[in-house]
Amino acid sequence: MSKKVLITSALPYVNNVPHLGNIVGCVLPADVYSRYCKLNGKDVLYICGTDEYGTCTEVKAREEGLTPRQICDKYYKVHKEIYDWFQIEFDYFGRTSTGLPHEDLDWPHTVISQEIFKKVVDNGYVIEQQVEQLYCVELDSFMADRFVVGTCPKVDCEYEKAKGDQCDKCGALLNAVEIINPVYKLNPDYKLIKKTTTHLYLDLPKLEPRLKEWFESVNSSWAKNAVSITQSWFDEGLRPRCITRDLKWGTPVPDTETFGNKYKDKVMYNWFDAPIGYLSITANYTKEWSNWWKNPEEVELVQTYSKDNIPFHTIIFPATLMATNDNYTLVTKIGSCEYLTYEGGKFSKSENTGVFGDNAVASGISSDVWRYYLMRQRPENKDTDFSWDDLQAKYNGELANNLGNLMYRVHTFTSKKLGGTVPERKSELLDVDNEFIDHVNNLCDNYMNYMDKIELKNGLKTVLSISHASNKYIVDTEHWVHFKTDMDRCHTILHILNHTAVLIARLLEPFMPETSRIINSFIVSDKLYRYEHNKLVINMLTGKSTNKPQILFKKISDEEISELKQKY
Ligand code: ZN
């Protein structure tokens, strides 16, 4: 029996509006893959939700004059609405935080995170280390690196606006305590002092041998960048990673035998418990969550995210689960990708560059077309660019001319000239027909191979190739000529073409569900026809009546595209 498929996409951080790069990197490919698996009869669970704890939420709350809870509620809704518009069909879209993290101790995320934390400590995989950190007197809290600005400590640089974790001028990775004259980004008058604190660290060096053995046994089903980045971490040697923070908005560190209640005022570092959110969100969805997460024999775990998330998902999270010595479901397939750029640059909300989820909703371009273009540009092996001119070119060339035109020709001819019924195959198949059917079926095999490997962009391109081959078949066989001279031959050609149309609708469904539905709705009027094969099988539709055809894609004009360019 084939394994059940558990799919997760990176949990989006709750304090902002997702941009197209986030959508193409995480939720959309997981949705396409999930739809593909479901269409092929697999038992699938697709889980996602917002990642809500951490400094960024606390600071955003301060900026907007709200509580962290209010910020999370506000942006959870923003995320959910945007993903709904993009037709992302999660089985469950949850969230990690609870209103009162230090009191609401029954919350699944708290329960599961604390249980894992305790086991990792009990099994001896956590050590203590003292560190110096910047502390803000006015706010009575330690400062996260990213909220500190000051002068770069590198002698040749001394850039005055270096960020706490990195200098944008010389590129050096920094630690906020090294910054000269550090100030709090949101209020330069607040005083920052150095203070010593003790934190808990995950002992990755101790886990390294087990982790490496596991990595070598599973990485053949991972995307290339996931393998190379993970390998580079092993090549450098793993170091202990801090797993606690001096914050209030987070999962409280539980008492343990080893450390007693010494850490009761600290919370888990967000990157430690955020991935545990996959488990706890599943637990919010079903009490049977361990049938998915503690069941590696029957479950295949598939994860999608962007390049920056790789080490958290391939090193730190599996190391955490391994350190419990419980039998957790670890990742088998990874569909990670590189970055999507915007007109050659970065997406940036602060500089108002790029298209964000809410802009896409308001653009007048349909959700299906956004899905199409994003998956067509999915940065699978290298960074790729979003550009309006390219969107227009691909839309007009590939959707309107190739796919739309094919459907229009097949459907209008069937509707107008053949009485609105899929004709019988009345004559023997000729070489040109058999060659076409073989060619399409070879392409279908390629499609399945690509989709199984989460090379979704290639899967989509293969659907276009089938459409292209079908247009060529029309030109080669000239059914409109036979319509006047040899009606049997004309019927045979349209018989084949109608079957090709429903095949294309099926292969396209994971990418463009609404377009697929419209193509499917051409066949029979009482209920939606859904083709059941991943290859071209004829003789199935003979005699089925058809509906009035619809135009699938109206071309985008130069004026429309320049208007959109100016807006964003
Ligand atoms: Zn510098």
Side-chain angles (χ1 to χ4, degrees):
M1 215 186 81
S2 77
K3 284 189 169 191
K4 300 197 280 185
V5 186
L6 174 57
I7 302 173
T8 69
S9 50
L11 305 181
Y13 201 72
V14 78
N15 72 340
N16 56 22
V17 179
H19 58 65
L20 295 182
N22 305 135
I23 290 166
V24 74
C26 307
V27 295
L28 182 55
D31 179 64
V32 171
Y33 187 70
S34 164
R35 286 172 182 270
Y36 167 75
C37 291
K38 286 174 182 170
L39 205 53
N40 289 292
K42 294 204 172 170
D43 187 1
V44 178
L45 182 67
Y46 175 18
I47 289 291
C48 190
T50 38
D51 169 16
E52 304 189 341
Y53 284 138
T55 328
C56 297
T57 307
E58 278 196 357
V59 169
K60 187 82 179 176
R62 251 176 244 154
E63 276 176 15
E64 297 197 12
L66 299 171
T67 64
R69 166 80 325 193
Q70 287 168 324
I71 283 289
C72 293
D73 290 349
K74 175 178 164 185
Y75 285 96
Y76 172 84
K77 204 165 158 266
V78 168
H79 278 264
K80 184 73 175 64
E81 282 172 1
I82 288 171
Y83 301 143
D84 283 347
W85 187 81
F86 274 93
Q87 307 171 74
I88 309 295
E89 276 187 355
F90 306 108
D91 289 295
Y92 189 67
F93 185 77
R95 46 200 309 184
T96 54
S97 79
T98 179
L100 300 164
H102 292 265
E103 290 165 37
D104 187 6
L105 299 178
D106 291 338
W107 176 242
H109 187 72
T110 311
V111 175
I112 296 171
S113 300
Q114 291 194 338
E115 185 194 312
I116 289 175
F117 194 99
K118 274 189 212 166
K119 284 194 174 171
V120 176
V121 172
D122 289 347
N123 293 338
Y125 291 109
V126 173
I127 50 178
E128 285 183 303
Q129 279 186 20
Q130 278 202 341
V131 279
E132 242 187 357
Q133 275 190 335
L134 289 177
Y135 178 85
C136 175
V137 180
E138 280 84 357
L139 293 172
D140 184 23
S141 76
F142 286 93
M143 273 286 118
D145 288 355
R146 69 177 65 183
F147 297 106
V148 176
V149 285
T151 303
C152 175
K154 303 289 167 196
V155 188
D156 301 335
C157 177
E158 292 172 1
Y159 179 53
E160 286 176 7
K161 286 179 185 162
K163 291 188 288 190
D165 52 356
Q166 188 169 24
C167 173
D168 284 340
K169 194 175 171 205
C170 71
L173 291 180
L174 303 172
N175 190 334
V177 287
E178 304 171 314
I179 297 265
I180 300 162
N181 300 326
V183 294
Y184 174 40
K185 197 169 91 178
L186 300 178
N187 190 338
D189 296 333
Y190 286 6
K191 211 175 152 191
L192 300 183
I193 56 168
K194 283 181 191 172
K195 205 169 163 179
T196 302
T197 177
T198 309
H199 281 296
L200 294 176
Y201 284 69
L202 181 64
D203 194 349
L204 285 175
K206 196 171 171 183
L207 287 155
E208 187 165 341
R210 270 168 85 185
L211 198 60
K212 215 167 170 179
E213 195 186 326
W214 166 76
F215 166 69
E216 277 155 12
S217 72
V218 292
N219 74 36
S220 60
S221 319
W222 293 10
K224 281 194 192 97
N225 62 357
V227 177
S228 62
I229 289 176
T230 308
Q231 186 62 54
S232 73
W233 274 55
F234 284 125
D235 291 347
E236 280 180 27
L238 302 184
R239 286 183 287 264
R241 297 279 300 192
C242 187
I243 58 171
T244 51
R245 269 292 176 257
D246 293 289
L247 277 181
K248 291 179 184 71
W249 188 241
T251 304
V253 173
D255 299 353
T256 54
E257 261 181 45
T258 317
F259 304 113
N261 69 355
K262 184 173 167 191
Y263 292 91
K264 66 176 170 39
D265 293 329
K266 297 187 195 257
V267 300
M268 296 180 199
Y269 200 169
N270 184 240
W271 66 253
F272 178 85
D273 69 317
I276 298 173
Y278 297 130
L279 284 60
S280 68
I281 289 170
T282 310
N284 280 93
Y285 171 69
T286 169
K287 285 195 175 71
E288 314 289 319
W289 66 274
S290 49
N291 283 350
W292 293 95
W293 284 102
K294 290 184 175 178
N295 193 1
E297 291 77 20
E298 292 177 13
V299 175
E300 173 179 68
L301 174 59
V302 181
Q303 300 195 295
T304 66
Y305 39 78
S306 294
K307 181 161 60 181
D308 49 344
N309 273 307
I310 289 171
F312 296 102
H313 286 83
T314 62
I315 303 249
I316 299 165
F317 182 49
T320 303
L321 295 178
M322 275 179 197
T324 62
N325 293 339
D326 287 342
N327 191 27
Y328 279 102
T329 308
L330 301 179
V331 67
T332 26
K333 266 190 202 177
I334 298 178
S336 49
C337 67
E338 303 282 318
Y339 296 128
L340 184 74
T341 53
Y342 180 76
E343 300 280 357
K346 267 187 178 177
F347 283 85
S348 163
K349 193 79 191 173
S350 56
E351 281 153 41
N352 207 16
T353 317
V355 177
F356 289 75
D358 49 348
N359 305 141
V361 173
S363 66
I365 293 173
S366 77
S367 154
D368 257 30
V369 170
W370 279 113
R371 289 173 63 104
Y372 173 81
Y373 184 66
L374 288 174
M375 292 311 291
R376 186 71 181 74
Q377 292 303 94
R378 182 168 184 251
E380 287 183 0
N381 293 309
K382 58 180 189 336
D383 291 357
T384 52
D385 195 38
F386 173 97
S387 99
W388 288 104
D389 289 338
D390 185 56
L391 183 150
Q392 182 194 23
K394 290 210 165 88
Y395 175 91
N396 288 345
E398 297 172 354
L399 290 181
N401 284 345
N402 179 353
L403 184 65
N405 202 21
L406 170 69
M407 294 302 163
Y408 186 75
R409 291 169 93 171
V410 174
H411 290 163
T412 46
F413 198 87
T414 306
S415 174
K416 287 188 179 155
K417 306 278 189 182
L418 304 178
T421 306
V422 179
E424 266 181 70
R425 179 171 70 87
K426 284 199 185 129
S427 55
E428 286 300 308
L429 298 184
L430 307 181
D431 285 350
V432 65
D433 306 325
N434 284 319
E435 279 162 21
F436 170 69
I437 292 171
D438 286 349
H439 179 52
V440 168
N441 283 334
N442 283 334
L443 290 172
C444 287
D445 288 342
N446 296 347
Y447 170 88
M448 301 272 286
N449 278 329
Y450 287 134
M451 297 298 281
D452 287 338
K453 289 192 284 186
I454 323 187
E455 290 180 24
L456 306 173
K457 176 160 63 178
N458 285 332
L460 181 56
K461 279 162 122 173
T462 308
V463 183
L464 291 176
S465 299
I466 294 174
S467 176
H468 181 75
S470 309
N471 278 314
K472 182 171 179 297
Y473 175 74
I474 290 179
V475 173
D476 290 346
T477 52
E478 297 183 312
H479 61 267
W480 61 95
V481 174
H482 296 296
F483 181 70
K484 292 175 193 138
T485 58
D486 182 355
M487 195 55 121
D488 284 358
R489 178 65 190 147
C490 174
H491 279 193
T492 298
I493 295 166
L494 263 299
H495 176 86
I496 292 172
L497 284 169
N498 269 290
H499 286 81
T500 313
V502 291
L503 168 70
I504 289 173
R506 178 180 174 92
L507 304 181
L508 198 60
E509 185 171 332
F511 299 94
M512 304 180 81
E514 177 59 15
T515 303
S516 173
R517 196 193 60 74
I518 295 171
I519 298 172
N520 282 333
S521 73
F522 179 67
I523 304 289
V524 297
S525 49
D526 52 342
K527 62 174 191 211
L528 193 67
Y529 180 82
R530 211 178 194 185
Y531 187 70
E532 290 173 2
H533 303 274
N534 289 315
K535 58 182 184 173
L536 183 50
V537 183
I538 58 172
N539 297 328
M540 306 190 45
L541 297 173
T542 306
K544 282 208 190 287
S545 58
T546 62
N547 293 316
K548 200 167 163 281
Q550 290 184 38
I551 292 179
L552 291 175
F553 308 104
K554 198 174 144 281
K555 283 197 178 177
I556 301 181
S557 68
D558 293 348
E559 292 73 39
E560 287 169 299
I561 216 73
S562 59
E563 217 174 272
L564 286 163
K565 256 192 216 171
Q566 284 190 336
K567 245 167 120 179
Y568 303 112

